[in-house]
Amino acid sequence: MITDEQARWFNQTFEQIVSNVEIAIRGKRDVIRLAVSCMLSEGHLLLEDNPGTGKTQLAKALANSVQGTHSRIQFTPDLLPSDVTGVTVFDQEKRTFEFHKGPIFASVVLADEINRASPKTQSALLEVMEEGRVTIDGVGHPVGSPFMVIATQNPIEQAGTYRLPEAQLDRFLMKTSIGYPDHEVAMELMLQAATRDRSATVSPVIVSSAVQQMATFANDVHVEPSIVAYISNLATESRRHSNVRLGLSMRGCLAFIRVAKTWAISKGRSHVLPDDIKDLAVPIMSHRLLLNAEAQFSGVTTERVIDELLASVAAPVERAV
């Protein structure tokens, strides 16, 4: 179990990273907190958003904040798996094959419009996300640490897209959206229109090796058995819900635990509270619940179902640890 001093250091560093990223993404502190929590939980983030909301700025600012590297892959129907992972090329002078790394080898990879690529290319990306390495001709090439994929989906213009299957959606730790800025922030950004790339002004807050240290601290956060039971009950009830065809998976339950630990220590605590589970319910569960046809036709949303689950499943009584 971590000490109070370690929890305080984590909290201060976490808030510094969030404030640093906010230089590029104004007025979206809650979304940034989720993105940073996702990285420190060693997971990947899915953004379903309209064009021009700052997804690239978020990825670049996050990479700059941890002194990491950034790459962007524009997914298109003709994109090949090797365009993502890299390819082995024969060097005629050395008479050997050399591996040329693809854009997946970066600290933060923005996979833009992932649903526009073929299922084969999607699978290549998701395999790297799961394994943390690229295997070419039987040789493994680790992508390094930290490593985070921020994939985007455009909620409009679905013609010619390849919808991600539920089993692949489940591999993303969280799903959220940035959304448009409010009036005041929009005015501020337009008055500073001469600054084309706000993320370029973001300087490192920590070195990339410190991300692993923070992830280790988060992993040591205490979770009461009652909290684990609460998550299990939410998962069970999600599978029984009348509007749900596919409920929360075991991978989703494990994701809940991982992110809840990071969320708790980001607030300076060494233990998880029931409120942490409630705060994270939508980003953890929204892309993992599959509604049945009748519910979709009736206009029922996953957010509404999640609210019903939180209202129907009793949370454990908080107590001091």
Side-chain angles (χ1 to χ4, degrees), residues 72-245:
R72 178 180 179 274
I73 309 171
Q74 179 62 56
F75 278 66
T76 55
D78 60 346
L79 193 73
L80 299 175
S82 58
D83 295 328
V84 175
T85 59
V87 64
T88 301
V89 178
F90 184 71
D91 188 318
Q92 293 186 347
E93 292 184 2
K94 297 180 181 179
R95 310 296 295 177
T96 58
F97 286 94
E98 291 186 352
F99 176 63
H100 290 199
K101 293 181 178 180
I104 196 66
F105 287 86
S107 304
V108 180
V109 179
L110 181 68
D112 211 2
E113 296 188 290
I114 185 176
N115 54 333
R116 293 201 177 277
S118 67
K120 187 175 183 179
T121 303
Q122 290 178 5
S123 298
L125 172 69
L126 292 163
E127 182 181 1
V128 182
M129 289 165 52
E130 186 75 11
E131 303 295 334
R133 65 176 183 175
V134 172
T135 302
I136 302 293
D137 298 331
V139 180
H141 304 274
V143 292
S145 178
F147 173 63
M148 177 184 182
V149 172
I150 300 179
T152 75
Q153 287 191 138
N154 191 337
I156 59 176
E157 297 179 5
Q158 294 299 314
T161 63
Y162 300 86
R163 186 174 179 271
L164 285 174
E166 281 66 32
Q168 294 183 357
L169 284 172
D170 201 18
R171 297 183 185 278
F172 287 94
L173 193 62
M174 290 192 283
K175 174 189 172 185
T176 188
S177 61
I178 298 176
Y180 292 116
D182 59 30
H183 177 70
E184 289 74 15
V185 174
M187 288 286 292
E188 177 189 345
L189 294 175
M190 286 187 284
L191 289 170
Q192 299 174 2
T195 304
R196 298 291 298 272
D197 185 4
R198 296 177 67 90
S199 64
T201 64
V202 175
S203 302
V205 172
I206 58 173
V207 295
S208 57
S209 58
V211 174
Q212 184 59 53
Q213 181 64 62
M214 295 182 74
T216 301
F217 283 167
N219 193 50
D220 290 337
V221 169
H222 178 72
V223 183
E224 282 283 308
S226 60
I227 298 289
V228 177
Y230 181 41
I231 295 172
S232 180
N233 290 336
L234 284 171
T236 300
E237 290 304 314
S238 74
R239 299 163 196 154
R240 296 174 177 170
H241 197 284
S242 59
N243 290 324
V244 176
R245 183 155 62 94

Side-chain angles (χ1 to χ4, degrees), residues 170 228 232 235 239 247-257 288:
D170 201 18
V228 177
S232 180
R239 299 163 196 154
L248 187 64
S249 67
M250 194 63 226
R251 183 186 283 117
C253 294
L254 295 172
F256 240 136
I257 297 292
R288 292 184 163 93

Side-chain angles (χ1 to χ4, degrees), residues 1-7 10 216-222 265 269-271:
M1 188 171 175
I2 63 169
T3 64
D4 290 340
E5 183 180 353
Q6 290 171 333
F10 190 107
T216 301
F217 283 167
N219 193 50
D220 290 337
V221 169
H222 178 72
I265 193 174
R269 283 186 273 105
S270 58
H271 59 281

Side-chain angles (χ1 to χ4, degrees), residues 34 37-38 44-46 172-176 259 283-284 287:
L34 288 174
S37 296
C38 193
H44 308 286
L45 181 66
L46 180 63
F172 287 94
L173 193 62
M174 290 192 283
K175 174 189 172 185
T176 188
V259 184
I284 292 291
H287 61 297

